[in-house]
Amino acid sequence: MPSTARLLPGAPVAEAVLADVTARAARLRERGITPSLATILVGDDDASAGYIRIKQRQAADLGFDSPHRHLPAATTQDELLRVIAEFNADKAVHGVLIQYPIPAHLDYDAALLTLDPDKDVDGMHPLNMGRLALGMPGPLPCTPAGIEALLAHYEIPVAGREVVILGRGATLGRPLAMLLAQKRPTANAAVTVVHTGVADWPRYTQRADILVAAAGVPGIIRPEHVKPGAVVIGAGVRYEGRRLLPDVDESCAEVAGAITPRVGGVGPTTVAMLFRNVIEAAERAN
């Protein structure tokens, strides 16, 4: 990558978060409590199965239990809800992950509503989104929390600065806006959310001190959309087969002051935040 920008890889951030998780897990095990992340996979999507394997390997590395239920693609809604209810009732399970997407005949939102909000490690249950909006403690959506942690790790000032998020999705753009506007040393920003339905969206991105691309449109952010010296966080991606297509064109590194790499930016921090949510759920439960 031809670059004048400082690179902001996610791996060192994830390592720091997971080191903290490891220490907290050890303290729980001293009390006879093993943190546990339960996973549910419906169907045989290769990518989804791969994501589950990554999470199970990480759980094993951290000394977590990781009970798993793999349901056939023809599973009914009632069968899925019964599995969720079993994990809800199991006091040894502290976090539950329903791998998304699920087969089209199933209602993911209805399934999520039946999940115990305190075991929702994705932070996407409506109760947890409400907690976020009100600044109450609870599981945080993993990618937004990972972006805040990445900015803090690299000591990038956020308070009082202008953050522009291109993308308004429920998993990233909207919760990130709420998170970075909260009154904390690692947040407290002036946040603008814009999207591709706004014809002149570059007018907003060009003034951002911190620009977060979360549109899911490959290459949408180009150098002319970036304020010289700005911090650019690439969070939106699409896949073409196994090829990752990020929102941020690599040439933006010639204009930005700091930028996440094409691969290995917010991905590692997202997984780390998932396990931070699990350890916090285990601590709350005990």
Side-chain angles (χ1 to χ4, degrees):
M1 179 187 296
S3 175
T4 58
R6 173 191 180 195
L7 279 181
L8 307 173
V13 187
E15 288 167 7
V17 171
L18 293 175
D20 175 64
V21 169
T22 299
R24 293 160 73 175
R27 290 194 290 271
L28 285 174
R29 282 193 295 272
E30 289 172 359
R31 298 165 49 198
I33 301 157
T34 301
S36 174
L37 170 64
T39 53
I40 301 171
L41 175 65
V42 186
D44 299 300
D45 180 77
D46 286 342
S48 293
Y51 295 142
I52 289 290
R53 286 193 294 271
I54 290 169
K55 289 154 189 170
Q56 289 178 321
R57 282 198 299 269
Q58 187 64 74
D61 289 344
L62 293 168
F64 285 24
D65 285 340
S66 55
H68 176 64
R69 294 291 297 273
H70 184 182
L71 304 175
T75 292
T76 67
Q77 187 79 15
D78 284 345
E79 289 168 337
L80 174 58
L81 297 186
R82 276 197 293 273
V83 172
I84 295 171
E86 289 171 14
F87 284 141
N88 281 346
D90 188 344
K91 292 185 178 180
V93 170
H94 303 113
V96 180
L97 172 71
I98 308 166
Q99 183 62 47
Y100 185 86
I102 60 178
H105 69 280
L106 298 174
D107 188 333
Y108 175 81
D109 291 336
L112 182 63
L113 279 170
T114 68
L115 180 62
D116 180 345
D118 289 329
K119 295 188 178 186
D120 164 35
V121 292
D122 270 335
M124 293 307 300
H125 190 285
L127 178 61
N128 289 326
M129 294 296 268
R131 286 168 166 167
L132 171 59
L134 295 172
M136 297 171 64
L140 294 173
C142 298
T143 302
I147 289 171
E148 182 181 12
L150 185 144
L151 294 169
H153 179 89
Y154 289 108
E155 299 181 341
I156 293 169
V158 176
R161 303 185 80 192
E162 182 158 14
V163 175
V164 174
I165 303 166
L166 179 62
R168 56 181 168 182
T171 61
L172 180 47
R174 278 179 278 167
L176 179 62
M178 289 190 286
L179 194 62
L180 293 185
Q182 290 179 353
K183 194 172 183 179
R184 285 192 312 284
T186 54
N188 207 30
V191 183
T192 300
V193 178
V194 69
H195 50 83
T196 55
V198 177
D200 61 346
W201 60 261
R203 177 166 67 89
Y204 298 89
T205 65
Q206 288 162 352
R207 73 186 194 207
D209 300 312
I210 300 170
L211 171 59
V212 181
V217 179
I220 189 171
I221 297 294
R222 301 192 57 79
E224 61 267 25
H225 304 136
V226 178
K227 176 182 175 180
V231 175
V232 178
I233 306 296
V237 297
R238 282 192 185 174
Y239 284 88
E240 188 177 84
R242 293 185 174 272
R243 187 173 172 228
L244 181 147
L245 302 174
D247 282 8
V248 178
D249 190 87
E250 290 182 75
S251 59
C252 291
E254 300 167 12
V255 177
I259 192 169
T260 51
R262 178 178 179 276
V263 178
V266 303
T269 67
T270 296
V271 175
M273 290 301 157
L274 176 78
F275 286 95
R276 190 177 75 175
N277 279 342
V278 177
I279 201 70
E280 289 179 350
E283 291 168 344
R284 284 195 304 270
N286 293 278

